[in-house]
Amino acid sequence: MATIKDVAKEAGVSIATTSRVINNAPHTSEKAIVAVKKAMETLGYRPNSNARALVSKTSNTIGVLVNDVSAPFFGSMVKAIDTVANEQGKQVLIGNGYHDATKEKNAIDLLINSRCESLVVHSKGLSNDVLIKLADEVPGMVLINRFIPEISSRCIALDNYKGSYLATEHLIRQGHQHIGYICSSHEIDDAYDRKAGYLQALEDNGIKVKEEYIEYGEPDEEGGEQAVINLIAKNTPITAIATYNDYMAAGCMALLQENGIRIPEDMSVIGFDDGHIARYIYPRLTTIRYPIQIMANQAVNLSLKLASRDTEEQTEHKLFIPILVRRSSVGCISSK
């Protein structure tokens, strides 16, 4: 494999001149540029990206931290960021944190050490203090789906409480009084806020909260299936179920239908996120739209501007408001 020394020898210039050409440094003669580029082509030389980063003190990458890139929700988030990256001639470097503080910190450190000046971080495991310190270290770091008052100008979040409130309120307006809730077992703000929205909607409508109507599970199809098994086993009189996300709703619906419980005739189900699965399960899932693509687009653009010092920091964080998406999985209790 050719080295920079080989290129310099082939071009008939010094290694320092060759390095300047490779890194697009100013004050390099046109003759040297032509000679070096020709030598690189002849020898099949590819510049080492890490070496170039050492010279420029940056890289052409955008760092992204997610919980698990294999999850469809985070796939949509990364896709939106990658679209912007392509438009800007940049690449995306991804780290998985799995909602674990140590893994999140290690992933962010790797992104920083890879000289990513722009960082879009979805962190649920790290403390506010750690994230504030990291934000001070990296001016181009933006948090998505997290609000920290001290760095509020770099927070882009969704009102999860409001979304769950809307979902529960919709069921109540359809006449449902006995409403179960399937909650994520992960100890993160999203889970707490969505459960709180469910509870508050019940209270505001004069419906007594019953702990036996609430079950927990992993925030996926299997978790939703197991949670609804537990609900059914209690023989509660619930007529509707609100869920933490669409994937738990899908698992819940599959189990109900396998047991001869019709949706929405016998049981109404509502999800959260409005992911692709919501439109392709049967019946089509009524849910709460989480505009993750729009949020990710805004987060990465803000990150790039902050990293280039091309904008003044906004004074307030951007809070997105979820909306109800009505489909076919919720029925009116009065029609039964």
Side-chain angles (χ1 to χ4, degrees), residues 55 60 94 125 172 179 187 250 289 303 324:
V55 174
N60 213 29
I94 304 167
I172 294 169
I179 302 170
E187 296 183 356
R289 178 163 295 156
S303 176
L324 175 69

Side-chain angles (χ1 to χ4, degrees), residues 153-196:
S153 61
R154 289 196 258 165
C155 297
I156 293 176
L158 181 80
D159 192 336
N160 283 288
Y161 171 90
K162 178 67 173 178
S164 190
Y165 189 103
L166 286 173
T168 308
E169 185 179 57
H170 177 62
L171 295 173
I172 294 169
R173 288 179 175 177
Q174 303 309 305
H176 296 279
Q177 296 289 304
H178 298 279
I179 302 170
Y181 185 66
I182 293 178
C183 185
S184 169
S185 58
H186 289 196
E187 296 183 356
I188 59 175
D189 289 342
D190 295 33
Y192 302 143
D193 292 344
R194 293 183 190 184
K195 180 183 175 183

